[in-house]
Amino acid sequence: MRSLLFLLFALVASLSGYSQLKDYNIGPKGDTLNAIDKQDRKQGKWVNHVDEVRGEPGYEEEGIYKDNHKEGTWRIYSLQGDLIGLETYKWGLKCGVCAYYGINGTLLREETWVALDPGKLYDTLVIEDINHPDHYKTVIIKNTGASLKDGTWKYYDPMSGMVARTETWDLGDLKKSQVGQRAPDSTQAVAKPKEVLDFEKKASKHKVKVQDGSVH
């Protein structure tokens, strides 16, 4: 009896959730994808498909929307199913470390970003002092409505895996660019990150299939 009541409660809760949505799809595991609420805002897990345009390769990306803004970690795949990027977002803006890979899982580029709170005209940030590592400073920044490049950006040689170039950014200002700058452990190729190794363990390529579950 208790199990039956639990199932009924779960069913009612699920139907209540769907009733708040204007449109959605059902994924292969029965999960809700690409949901749009009644205020026309993207919510929950989404898969975006972008076709090749003017020679630029197409891709698919998957992650979470919160009130129409990207949030948290987003994964980017080539149309062949290879993981080619990991991006992090806050308030729909890049924030934190973003990394991009070749089709063989080789790390090509690492970026660091700072997102400003879109609800504030000025934002107060605590960031690492580029001139004094492990020391932090508090700064007040006028909000331009976009993410700011910050910290060290690294560009890797796709053949050796070593750092080929670095850029040092301070809240959108390029302070230094060095060619041939190597990481401390660059005597060997950079190890593949855990996300790439986990992805390569999968037996099949990444594919997303959905069923239309529109509720108009």
Side-chain angles (χ1 to χ4, degrees), residues 105 107 161 188-194 197:
L107 182 61
Q188 297 181 350
V190 176
K192 295 180 180 179
K194 181 178 183 299
L197 294 175

Side-chain angles (χ1 to χ4, degrees), residues 116-132:
L116 302 180
D117 186 346
K120 298 179 179 179
L121 181 60
Y122 290 87
D123 201 356
T124 302
L125 305 173
V126 178
I127 62 171
E128 188 172 18
D129 189 335
I130 62 173
N131 297 315
H132 302 89

Side-chain angles (χ1 to χ4, degrees), residues 34-187:
N34 294 25
I36 298 176
D37 65 18
K38 292 186 177 180
Q39 288 74 47
D40 290 321
R41 299 175 301 184
K42 296 177 181 179
Q43 303 284 6
K45 185 176 180 179
W46 266 70
V47 177
N48 295 320
H49 178 92
V50 178
D51 290 319
E52 179 180 350
V53 178
R54 300 184 184 89
E56 292 294 324
Y59 61 90
E60 284 188 344
E61 59 177 7
E62 64 178 26
I64 300 296
Y65 275 104
K66 182 179 180 181
D67 296 337
N68 222 35
H69 299 299
K70 289 181 176 180
E71 192 76 16
T73 300
W74 277 70
R75 289 171 169 77
I76 306 172
Y77 299 90
S78 70
L79 295 184
Q80 290 71 45
D82 298 295
L83 180 67
I84 57 174
L86 291 169
E87 297 178 334
T88 55
Y89 287 86
K90 189 174 184 179
W91 303 304
L93 303 170
K94 288 183 180 179
C95 186
V97 178
C98 297
Y100 303 92
Y101 312 95
I103 59 174
N104 59 353
T106 302
L107 182 61
L108 299 179
R109 186 172 80 257
E110 283 182 314
E111 306 172 352
T112 54
W113 296 83
V114 173
L116 302 180
D117 186 346
K120 298 179 179 179
L121 181 60
Y122 290 87
D123 201 356
T124 302
L125 305 173
V126 178
I127 62 171
E128 188 172 18
D129 189 335
I130 62 173
N131 297 315
H132 302 89
D134 298 325
H135 289 74
Y136 294 83
K137 60 182 180 179
T138 300
V139 296
I140 299 176
I141 299 293
K142 184 176 181 179
N143 198 338
T144 60
S147 298
L148 300 176
K149 298 178 180 180
D150 191 64
T152 302
W153 285 39
K154 297 178 181 180
Y155 300 81
Y156 294 86
D157 183 292
M159 300 300 293
S160 67
M162 296 179 180
V163 178
R165 179 166 60 93
T166 61
E167 295 174 349
T168 303
W169 292 85
D170 186 11
L171 296 176
D173 293 328
L174 179 61
K175 296 299 184 181
K176 183 168 58 176
S177 180
Q178 291 181 303
V179 177
Q181 178 71 19
R182 295 185 175 184
D185 298 325
S186 61
T187 54

